[in-house]
Amino acid sequence: MNVEKRSRRTAVYGGSFDPVHNGHLSIAKALIEQFRIDEFVFIPAFHAPHKTRLKPTSAYDRYTMLCLVTADEKRMKVSRMEIDVPERPYSIETLARLNTERPDDDIYFIMGADSWMDIKTWREWEDVLSISNHIVMSRPGYQISFDHVADEIRSRITDLRGQTGDADIAGAAKRIYITDRVNADISATGIRAKARAEDSSWRQDVAAEVAIYIEKYQIYS
């Protein structure tokens, strides 16, 4: 029996991860299953370009916490690419570099519903949407619109909300998938605030390794 070969699927998930929490891991596990991802890559930002007024925790601490929590996850990895080249933080540059380094992979760029709604504020946003596949994560109570993008982009949208099986992925065109598979209602901002207030309930929202690291090095003191 002939088995159809497919390209390697690599999902990339960028963000501050300040800190990485159980919601991030739930997203990774759910999308690996739904899209049959071969490698899921977390890409911590050195400093997100749209958060210029905020001072994040050291990139190296955030990278370390990600490494700790994914150490035993076979399909999850952590990339230093935006930490090592902090002067090139934009998504279009990261995606172009990934396409160069992984020419045979199908790249799936993950974003939240709020990022999708603000996509036209991104640098070279139309190129961002055409250079790779995209997975847009919806959440309860959040209304997603498609009216802010052109017809050509809308023609590449596949709405998977409400579906329970694996995603049906076909065709050569770069697609935009809308999924509600994950409802991760955990706030990194809330975790930091609780840690600073010495409210230990934040520990339930992160992996044990991350909690130990935060406390040992007093990351949010």
Side-chain angles (χ1 to χ4, degrees), residues 8-105:
R8 176 181 174 85
R9 293 174 185 166
T10 298
V12 294
Y13 188 16
S16 297
F17 303 110
D18 191 9
V20 58
H21 54 63
N22 295 338
H24 296 131
L25 298 177
S26 295
I27 288 168
K29 291 175 181 178
L31 297 184
I32 285 172
E33 177 182 359
Q34 184 177 19
F35 291 88
R36 301 187 295 281
I37 298 298
D38 298 297
E39 185 170 294
F40 191 102
V41 184
F42 289 93
I43 305 180
F46 185 83
H47 193 174
H50 58 287
K51 297 181 179 179
T52 54
R53 289 181 297 175
L54 303 178
K55 182 179 180 180
T57 302
S58 161
Y60 302 100
D61 282 324
R62 292 181 283 115
Y63 171 81
T64 299
M65 287 187 281
L66 276 164
C67 289
L68 287 171
V69 83
T70 59
D72 294 329
E73 298 290 346
K74 184 177 180 181
R75 296 191 185 185
M76 298 183 199
K77 293 188 178 179
V78 187
S79 170
R80 293 173 52 95
M81 62 187 306
E82 291 193 2
I83 294 175
D84 290 341
V85 191
E87 70 276 9
R88 303 186 66 182
Y90 293 98
S91 297
I92 186 61
E93 296 165 333
T94 297
L95 287 171
R97 179 176 168 185
L98 284 166
N99 281 337
T100 298
E101 295 177 352
R102 299 168 177 257
D104 298 324
D105 288 14

Side-chain angles (χ1 to χ4, degrees), residues 95-219:
L95 287 171
R97 179 176 168 185
L98 284 166
N99 281 337
T100 298
E101 295 177 352
R102 299 168 177 257
D104 298 324
D105 288 14
D106 278 339
I107 305 296
Y108 291 77
F109 183 87
I110 299 164
M111 70 171 73
D114 50 349
S115 293
W116 165 255
M117 295 304 297
D118 291 336
I119 191 65
K120 293 179 74 172
T121 67
W122 291 28
R123 174 172 292 192
E124 299 179 49
W125 68 274
E126 291 174 300
D127 290 334
V128 168
L129 293 179
S130 64
I131 200 173
S132 72
N133 298 290
H134 293 263
I135 300 173
V136 179
M137 299 179 296
S138 177
R139 62 179 187 269
Y142 195 95
Q143 297 298 318
I144 292 183
S145 170
F146 309 120
D147 297 335
H148 60 303
V149 295
D151 290 344
E152 185 279 327
I153 295 174
R154 285 199 294 271
S155 71
R156 293 189 278 115
I157 295 174
T158 299
D159 194 343
L160 300 173
R161 287 175 292 178
Q163 296 187 22
T164 58
D166 293 347
D168 183 12
I169 299 172
K174 301 302 183 185
R175 300 204 62 79
I176 301 161
Y177 298 94
I178 315 297
T179 180
D180 58 1
R181 182 66 62 90
V182 186
N183 293 324
D185 189 18
I186 301 177
S187 165
T189 301
I191 292 172
R192 296 195 302 270
K194 288 179 180 179
R196 292 183 180 118
E198 299 185 357
D199 176 354
S200 62
S201 64
W202 65 268
R203 299 180 95 262
Q204 67 187 3
D205 292 330
V206 302
E209 304 95 321
V210 172
I212 291 170
Y213 186 90
I214 289 171
E215 291 179 330
K216 181 175 182 178
Y217 294 101
Q218 300 181 331
I219 302 300

